[in-house]
Amino acid sequence: MTRLVCQINHYRSSIDGTEQPYAILGHSPGKDPAACVVLLHPSLTDIGKEAFIEYAFGEMARWRSAIERSDRAAVVVIPRGRGNASWMGPAGDDLWNVLEDVARFHPLDSDAIYLAGEGSGATGALQLACWHPDRWAALAVAGPTID
């Protein structure tokens, strides 16, 4: 398998044209389409860029061994997601922008895009799975905050 890439990338927001960060961990791009896990952060409020980067590097450290052991090309993508924790409005647009940006560099297997989240990210994952069931191969949530 190819070497691992662990970095913070930026995309240009379709909402306001600003540069927004996202994290990516995975095998360097190759010919084979990669499976993709989209991980939604657990913050209830708009997570600042510095706090997001700290969170993202912690999560990438946790996912590293799973990606290293994978027998196929795979990436974990962590969008910052501005706005509220339900991933509606700007956060939802950020998610689609991130997936478009990732696909420019990594061929993604459209049948192997997985959605995961914990806390408020789990709530957002549940909502996104309901709103866009055709986009996700599977869903994993831990401790959604539902009221």
Side-chain angles (χ1 to χ4, degrees):
M1 196 57 63
T2 58
R3 69 179 180 85
L4 287 187
V5 173
C6 177
Q7 61 192 33
I8 301 294
N9 286 352
H10 292 81
Y11 66 93
R12 185 159 307 279
S13 168
S14 64
I15 299 169
D16 56 14
T18 59
E19 291 287 319
Q20 294 296 321
Y22 69 91
I24 185 164
L25 166 70
H27 299 113
S28 351
K31 295 177 199 156
D32 297 330
C36 177
V37 175
V38 177
L39 180 61
L40 305 183
H41 66 74
S43 179
L44 272 171
T45 59
D46 191 348
I47 188 169
K49 288 183 182 180
E50 292 80 16
F52 166 74
I53 290 169
E54 183 178 330
Y55 166 77
F57 277 117
E59 286 302 313
M60 289 189 291
R62 281 191 268 287
W63 280 85
R64 185 179 184 100
S65 65
I67 296 295
E68 286 175 329
R69 290 191 316 264
S70 177
D71 60 355
R72 69 169 294 185
V75 296
V76 174
V77 174
I78 307 171
R80 176 176 165 219
R82 297 171 289 167
N84 64 27
S86 68
W87 293 82
M88 299 186 313
D93 290 339
D94 286 342
L95 171 61
W96 307 129
N97 287 167
V98 166
L99 287 174
E100 286 174 19
D101 198 65
V102 169
R104 290 183 324 128
F105 304 103
H106 287 271
L108 297 179
D109 181 346
S110 61
D111 293 328
I113 299 179
Y114 306 94
L115 184 59
E118 61 178 306
S120 294
T123 304
L126 287 168
Q127 291 170 326
L128 286 166
C130 290
W131 297 330
H132 306 281
D134 56 323
R135 298 287 306 254
W136 318 108
L139 172 70
V141 297
T145 53
I146 300 174
D147 54 9

